Structure formats: C-alpha cells, structure tokens
Amino acid sequence: MSLFLPDSVKCNGDTFKPLIPRKELEKRIEVLGSQISNDFQDKRPIFIGVLNGAFVFLADLLRSISINCEVDFLKLSSYGDEKVSSGKVTDKKQIDADIEGRHVILVEDIVDTGLSIKYLINKMYEKNPASVSVVTLLHKTDATIYDVKIDYTGFKIPTLFVLGYGLDYAQEGRNLAQIYVIDEKSTIKD
Ligand code: IMP
Ligand code: MG
C-alpha cells in the first residue's frame, strides 16, 4: 500500500512537518492493542469511535485487537474550523448500540482541554454501562484543564496544533498517513 507521507505539507496557509512518523504510530498502536486485548479478555467490549478525527486510529487499533469486540461511532463537534477549541461541545450523531451492562471503550484521536472526553464519559455513564474506559492516540497533557482519567494513551505531546492520521485543520489533512505539527518557523508572519 502506498501511503501519503510528505516531508512538509501546506494546509490552509500554514506549513506542517512530521512529528510522529508512521513506524512509531504502528509500533505504539500494536502495544495499545495488546494491552486492551489483555485487559478485556472475555468482556466483549464495545469500541466507540469519536468522529470524525478518530476513524483512522480506530481502524488501525481494531486490527491489533485479538478478542471479540464490537464497534460503534458517535460524532461531536468542538473545534469548528479554528486551531483553538471553541469551548463548547455539540452532539452531531448518537450511538446506535445499547450499552447497558457493556464494557465501553471510547476511542479519541486527541485529548486537548479534556472537555469533549469528560462530556462523553458522563454521557456514557447515563446509559448504565458495566464500565467506561478511554483510549486516545494523542494527549496534550499541559493543555488539559478538565479532570479526566485516560486509561490508554498513545503519545503525550506538547500544546501545539497537530494534523494528519484522521486529525484535520478546517476539514483538511485527515488523509496524511502520519502525525504532523505546525512548523512555527515557516508560519511566523512579520
Ligand atoms: P478538547 O475537548 O479540548 O479535549 O478537544 C478535543 C477535540 O479537539 C479533539 O477530539 C479534536 O477533534 C480537536 N483537537 C484538539 N487538538 C487538536 C489539534 O491539535 N489538531 C486537530 N484537532 C484537534
Ligand atoms: Mg475529535
């Protein structure tokens, strides 16, 4: 398979450079997959992907899961088209599955302030699941202001805007096959 892995990419006028290369993503996701498979043996968890950003990560993570499981999706919107969070969470699509008594694993692309994931954890608990866990590919630890427990983290990253592997900038860049970060040198304007 030929993947889209440029050394530098322009998106909505800003320049981005690689931050987490494809191989690192693959290795880490394999580890997360086997940890989750071990922890949820015989529990038939349901993975709930947070659209749109998490669809690429969920697709790869799921193929590293070696136990019986289910998948569903929900959709939230918090960023709009900006590079900073709007501070508001809007429901755009609900899950179809009945999660009462089930082990739920929320799958996020990135935890930034923690607002979205906190909102989702609370929302899941209202439906009486057996448990709610969170796996996120990326966590901007210094930016997180809401008190949330993340069970599985791919990579802790600094508070910088990132792109690719499902993550977008005003809906562009999701097709990049690794994680890119804004190249501040090239984007400083005088
Ligand atoms: P939070 O609610 O502030 O934690 O923001 C989480 C959501 O904002 C994520 O699910 C992403 O959709 C989006 N987001 C946060 N940081 C970035 C980023 O650096 N690039 C692209 N999207 C981001
Ligand atoms: Mg998201």
Side-chain angles (χ1 to χ4, degrees):
M1 193 165 37
S2 152
L3 297 170
F4 185 42
L5 298 163
D7 289 335
S8 169
V9 66
K10 259 209 160 36
C11 187
N12 291 303
D14 286 325
T15 307
F16 290 82
K17 59 184 180 184
L19 177 69
I20 308 172
R22 177 79 205 175
K23 283 271 166 281
E24 295 295 311
L25 289 173
E26 283 172 5
K27 272 194 289 181
R28 186 71 189 125
I29 291 170
E30 242 178 75
V31 172
L32 291 175
S34 64
Q35 280 174 353
I36 293 172
S37 301
N38 265 329
D39 295 350
F40 288 86
Q41 204 83 54
D42 302 321
K43 290 189 171 160
R44 204 161 176 275
I46 176 160
F47 289 87
I48 300 186
V50 185
L51 295 171
N52 290 337
F55 79 106
V56 179
F57 172 46
L58 176 54
D60 282 347
L61 178 69
L62 207 70
R63 285 173 287 178
S64 291
I65 298 293
S66 54
I67 55 171
N68 281 335
C69 60
E70 280 180 44
V71 182
D72 201 349
F73 292 93
L74 55 76
K75 186 166 179 172
L76 285 186
S77 174
S78 63
Y79 254 44
D81 284 349
E82 304 302 321
K83 292 206 293 283
V84 287
S85 176
S86 67
K88 279 195 311 246
V89 180
T90 324
D91 280 304
K92 297 258 174 155
K93 179 202 176 300
Q94 317 270 348
I95 51 168
D96 295 316
D98 178 3
I99 59 166
E100 187 170 345
R102 302 291 307 275
H103 294 277
V104 169
I105 304 176
L106 286 167
V107 183
E108 259 288 25
D109 49 358
I110 187 164
V111 174
D112 183 5
T113 64
L115 174 68
S116 311
I117 201 66
K118 191 179 175 78
Y119 172 84
L120 284 179
I121 293 168
N122 290 339
K123 200 174 153 79
M124 294 299 118
Y125 273 120
E126 284 169 12
K127 299 173 195 281
N128 299 317
S131 68
V132 179
S133 306
V134 176
V135 52
T136 186
L137 178 64
L138 306 174
H139 188 180
K140 292 184 188 173
T141 43
D142 295 339
T144 304
I145 51 175
Y146 293 89
D147 180 28
V148 282
K149 183 172 161 280
I150 311 294
D151 302 273
Y152 308 92
T153 301
F155 299 89
K156 293 179 177 169
I157 61 165
T159 310
L160 293 170
F161 192 78
V162 292
L163 181 72
Y165 200 73
L167 288 136
D168 74 305
Y169 177 15
Q171 300 307 325
E172 286 183 18
R174 298 192 196 274
N175 52 316
L176 294 158
Q178 56 193 359
I179 300 288
Y180 288 75
V181 67
I182 195 147
D183 187 351
E184 287 177 329
K185 280 202 299 292
S186 335
T187 48
I188 290 168
K189 316 228 163 44
D190 39 38

